[in-house]
Amino acid sequence: MKKFKKGLIAMSPRNFIYQNIRERIRTGSLRPGMRLPTHRELSLDYGVAIATVTRAVNRLKMEGLLECRRGRGTVVMQPKPPEVKADNRRVMLIYPGDINQTIPFTSAINEVFINTQWKVETCCACDNINRFSSFLKDCRNNPPAGLLLVPLSKKFFSFTPDLLPAPGTKTVIWGVPIPGIEADCISAAAFGEGVVLGEYIASHQFRRVLYISQCSILCQEEEETLLGLSQVLNRKGIPFDDSHVLHYPDHYSYGSMRDPQRGAFEFIHNIINNNDLPDLIVTGHIFIANGIARALNYAGIKIPEQISLISADSNISENLFGNNRLQITSFENQYYMRSRIAAELLLSRLNGNHSPVTHCELLGHLVEGNSVRKISHLVQYKEDYP
C-alpha cells in the first residue's frame, strides 16, 4: 500500500486515499465481500490522521463501493450493474480485428437491422487489445440494448468482470460461450470441420502431416477441430498425435507493428533450415498459411510440388504476393451466414424473444485452391452440403 508523501503527490491526502482504494476495487485487488482494514490501520498504512481516512471512506460509501456491516466492519460492496433504459435503441457490434475483416459482420448486421428502430454502432478494435478492452468497458458502463460480440481468442485475451456486458444487454456471441456471460452463441462446427479435413487429407494419401498454430494455448474450436482430424487420420492409418501439432510464439498479431504472418514466417524458416518438412502442412488460420507460404517461397520450395498447404479457417479471399499465382486450399467457415444468423437472433431477442439461450453450430465447406498436390489416379474429392 502506498504511503501519502506530502509535496510529492499533487492532491490532498483524502483524495489520494480515495483514489487509491477506488483503483484497488476497480482492478480486483479488493474484491466484493472483502473487509477493509480498520480506519486506525489505514491511517498508519497511509501515514495520515484517522479523520482523513474516515472522510475518504465515507465518500466511497456514498458512491456505493463500500458499506458497513455489523460484526465485520467496512466491506467492499458488490457493484450494482448499470441498467439498460427502456427507451435505449442502441446495438453494438464489437469486433477485435481490422476494418477490412469486419465486412461479413457489418454487411450481415446492417441487412438485418435496416429499417428497424435499432441503431447499430460498429466498434472495430483494429487488432489493438487495449482498444478492444475500452469498447467492452464502454459497453459495460454505458450499456446498449443489444450486443453482437466477436471475442478474441483466449490465447490473447481474458474477460474480467468489468469487461462483461451488463445483465440487461441482449447479447449474442459470434463464437463459443464465454464464462460469466449469459448469451446466445453462433459458432463453427469445429469437430465436423476436422472430420472433413481428415477425409480430404486421407483421400490424397498424405503420410506426414503437420498442424501449425500460434501460441501454446489452443482455443476450444481449434481443440475440437484437431480431435475430429486426428480421429479420422488415425482410423485411416495416418500417424497424427500431439507430436504432429506445433506451436510458435506469436509476438506480432497485435500491437503497433502488427504483422500476423511474421511469426509463422520465422517459425517455418527454422524448420526449413533443419530439413524437417512434412508432405502436408495444415494451419489454424489463413494468415498462418500465408506466412508459411512466404517462407517456403523465400527458400525456393515449391507449393504444391514439394509440399502441400491447407488452412483450417478462412473468411476472406487473400491472394498471395498480390496475384492469383497461389490460392490456398482452405476451410470456408461461413462467416457471413453465421453473422446473419447471429444478427437475426439478436433482433428477435430485442423484439421480445425470451426462450432459453441457444448455441448453434454451422459447418462450412472446403474450398480447393492450387496449394495441394493433385494425384491423377485418385478420384477427385468432393463434398456437397445441403
Side-chain angles (χ1 to χ4, degrees), residues 21-318:
I21 295 177
R22 199 175 194 279
E23 179 65 13
R24 292 170 65 195
I25 294 173
R26 188 193 69 80
T27 59
S29 174
L30 287 172
R31 298 184 299 277
M34 289 182 66
R35 186 180 70 84
L36 209 64
T38 66
H39 290 200
R40 180 177 293 278
E41 290 170 336
L42 287 173
S43 70
L44 294 173
D45 290 336
Y46 286 109
V48 298
I50 294 177
T52 302
V53 171
T54 301
R55 286 194 291 270
V57 169
N58 286 342
R59 183 177 173 185
L60 292 165
K61 288 178 182 177
M62 291 177 62
E63 294 182 3
L65 297 175
L66 299 175
E67 68 174 349
C68 285
R69 293 182 184 175
R70 180 175 295 181
R72 290 202 61 195
T74 304
V75 299
V76 180
M77 289 184 64
Q78 184 73 39
K80 184 180 179 181
E83 295 181 357
V84 178
K85 297 180 179 179
D87 61 349
N88 190 324
R89 294 295 179 265
R90 294 173 57 230
V91 173
M92 292 181 72
L93 164 63
I94 299 181
Y95 182 76
D98 65 48
I99 193 68
N100 293 324
Q101 295 173 333
T102 64
I103 294 173
F105 306 96
T106 54
S107 298
I109 196 169
N110 288 330
E111 287 170 11
V112 171
F113 281 89
I114 193 170
N115 296 327
T116 70
Q117 60 181 317
W118 310 100
K119 305 303 179 184
V120 178
E121 302 171 9
T122 300
C123 303
C124 180
C126 298
D127 297 301
N128 185 308
I129 293 179
N130 291 332
R131 185 177 299 170
F132 184 65
S133 296
S134 69
F135 288 145
L136 293 172
K137 288 178 181 177
D138 179 58
C139 181
R140 172 77 179 186
N141 298 326
N142 184 24
L147 169 65
L148 178 56
L149 174 60
V150 183
L152 268 172
S153 168
K154 67 178 183 180
K155 298 178 180 181
F156 307 104
F157 190 80
S158 296
F159 281 86
T160 53
D162 62 318
L163 301 179
L164 301 180
T169 297
K170 307 296 184 183
T171 303
V172 177
I173 297 173
W174 196 92
V176 296
I178 298 172
I181 303 179
E182 184 178 2
D184 299 297
C185 299
I186 312 296
S187 65
F191 182 84
E193 172 191 324
V195 170
V196 173
L197 286 171
E199 293 288 351
Y200 179 82
I201 291 168
S203 74
H204 282 66
Q205 298 183 347
F206 288 110
R207 301 300 301 174
R208 298 181 64 226
V209 180
L210 197 63
Y211 185 96
I212 296 180
S213 180
Q214 84 274 43
C215 302
S216 59
I217 302 174
L218 293 175
C219 64
Q220 180 179 331
E221 290 174 306
E222 201 167 18
E223 289 176 346
E224 293 178 3
T225 297
L226 284 172
L227 183 61
L229 177 62
S230 62
Q231 182 168 301
V232 171
L233 293 184
N234 290 330
R235 180 163 49 81
K236 300 281 187 177
I238 300 172
F240 191 82
D241 54 28
D242 289 345
S243 66
H244 296 84
V245 179
L246 300 183
H247 309 271
Y248 64 87
D250 187 355
H251 303 300
Y252 311 110
S253 285
Y254 297 94
S256 57
M257 302 296 290
R258 179 180 177 271
D259 181 1
Q261 298 181 19
R262 181 176 171 181
F265 179 95
E266 294 177 352
F267 182 74
I268 203 67
H269 186 70
N270 293 331
I271 293 179
I272 293 171
N273 290 338
N274 293 331
N275 295 316
D276 193 25
L277 289 174
D279 302 325
L280 168 68
I281 293 177
V282 182
T283 69
H285 199 277
I286 188 66
F287 68 80
I288 302 176
N290 281 338
I292 290 174
R294 283 171 53 192
L296 295 173
N297 179 73
Y298 181 79
I301 298 173
K302 294 182 179 180
I303 303 173
E305 291 84 357
Q306 294 174 268
I307 187 170
S308 295
L309 185 61
I310 295 175
S311 169
D313 183 49
S314 175
N315 68 319
I316 297 174
S317 177
E318 297 184 51

